[in-house]
Amino acid sequence: EAQVTQNPRYLITVTGKKLTVTCSQNMNHEYMSWYRQDPGLGLRQIYYSMNVEVTDKGDVPEGYKVSRKEKRNFPLILESPSPNQTSLYFCASKGTSWQETQYFGPGTRLLVL
Amino acid sequence: AQKITQTQPGMFVQEKEAVTLDCTYDTSDPSYGLFWYKQPSSGEMIFLIYQGSYDQQNATEGRYSLNFQKARKSANLVISASQLGDSAMYFCASNTPLVFGKGTRLSVIA
C-alpha cells in the first residue's frame, strides 16, 4: 500500500529537549516536505526537499532542521523545542511533475510544555 | 508569490443539498495546479480533486466538482448531495509553489 508514515503520532515534551519526528514514504517520490498546521493559519511549509541531499527552507523554518540522506526518509528535528512549536505536523511527498498531488502522512500532534 | 484565499471560515449545509466552497488564487505563472483536500476531525489530509491550469474541462470526482474560472482566478469546490460524513475542514491549495489556504469548516446538518 502506497503511504507516508510518521512517528510518533502524539508527543508531549518539555522545552529544550531535542526531538525527532520521522517521516518515510514507499512511493519512490523525489519531493518531500514538512508542514505545520495551526488554528486559523492553515498549513504552512517548514522545509522541503527536491531529492536526496537537497533541502530548502519553506515559509516557517526557524527552530527546525531536516535531513535527506535517503530518498524514502525525511526526518524533522527540533533541536530545542519551545512552546510556540506546539502544533500539528504533517509530512508529505509527491513525484517531480508539478501536476501531481501530495500524499500526506497521518500527522503528529506535538505539545511542548 | 502565489496566494490562496478561502473567504468562508465556516459553512453550514443541509444534508442532501449541494454546497460551494470558495477559493481564489493569485499567480502570474501560466502553469499551475489547484487541489482540494478534506481534513476530518481525525486529522488526516485526504486529497479530493485536482485542476490543472491547462485543463479544458472542469474536474469532477464523484460528488466533488471544481468550478474553475480562470479569468476570475477562482477554483470553487462543489459538493453535491451533502452527507453527514462531509463535515470537515476543506483546504484549497496550489502547487506552484505549494501554498494552502486557511480552510473552510463545513458542517452538514441532518
Side-chain angles (χ1 to χ4, degrees):
Chain A
E1 180 190 355
Q3 60 182 355
V4 179
T5 57
Q6 292 178 230
N7 282 293
R9 295 288 313 279
Y10 304 90
L11 180 60
I12 301 174
T13 189
V14 295
T15 298
K17 186 176 182 181
K18 181 179 178 180
L19 66 92
T20 299
V21 185
T22 64
C23 172
S24 183
Q25 50 94 5
N26 63 1
M27 294 167 279
N28 202 35
H29 284 161
E30 288 80 10
Y31 184 97
M32 297 184 75
S33 62
W34 277 102
Y35 295 87
R36 61 178 288 173
Q37 183 182 9
D38 302 290
L41 297 177
L43 278 79
R44 294 178 293 167
Q45 192 174 52
I46 303 170
Y47 268 95
Y48 64 96
S49 169
M50 301 292 284
N51 214 323
V52 176
E53 301 292 359
V54 180
T55 63
D56 213 340
K57 295 178 180 179
D59 297 319
V60 288
E62 294 77 20
Y64 304 95
K65 286 176 57 177
V66 293
S67 68
R68 188 89 181 274
K69 293 184 172 59
E70 304 166 285
K71 198 171 187 180
R72 63 183 294 126
N73 296 323
F74 190 44
L76 179 70
I77 302 156
L78 283 72
E79 293 271 3
S80 182
S82 61
N84 64 13
Q85 293 178 298
T86 292
S87 188
L88 175 59
Y89 291 87
F90 286 100
C91 179
S93 74
K94 71 186 254 330
T96 51
S97 168
W98 61 270
Q99 296 169 307
E100 293 189 44
T101 184
Q102 293 190 87
Y103 292 84
F104 284 85
T108 295
R109 292 189 183 273
L110 172 65
L111 173 61
V112 183
L113 300 173
Chain B
Q2 174 72 285
K3 183 178 177 183
I4 299 290
T5 302
Q6 294 180 253
T7 57
Q8 306 152 314
M11 292 276 288
F12 289 90
V13 64
Q14 200 77 35
E15 195 178 8
K16 300 179 185 177
E17 292 189 350
V19 63
T20 298
L21 306 183
D22 295 341
C23 173
T24 58
Y25 58 94
D26 182 14
T27 181
S28 55
D29 193 330
S31 303
Y32 55 88
L34 297 156
F35 303 84
W36 278 91
Y37 294 89
K38 173 184 178 181
Q39 186 180 40
S41 57
S42 51
E44 71 268 31
M45 294 290 285
I46 302 167
F47 165 69
L48 294 178
I49 196 167
Y50 166 80
Q51 180 83 46
S53 58
Y54 297 120
D55 293 342
Q56 295 297 313
Q57 293 185 324
N58 286 347
T60 60
E61 289 285 349
R63 293 186 300 110
Y64 304 108
S65 61
L66 218 153
N67 183 3
F68 184 47
Q69 298 188 43
K70 210 167 177 177
R72 294 186 176 185
K73 294 191 173 181
S74 72
N76 299 338
L77 176 70
V78 180
I79 305 175
S80 62
S82 298
Q83 302 172 356
L84 295 177
D86 294 335
S87 294
M89 281 290 287
Y90 289 82
F91 291 97
C92 180
S94 69
N95 66 349
T96 51
L98 288 162
V99 175
F100 283 78
K102 294 184 178 180
T104 296
R105 181 171 296 282
L106 177 66
S107 299
V108 181
I109 305 166

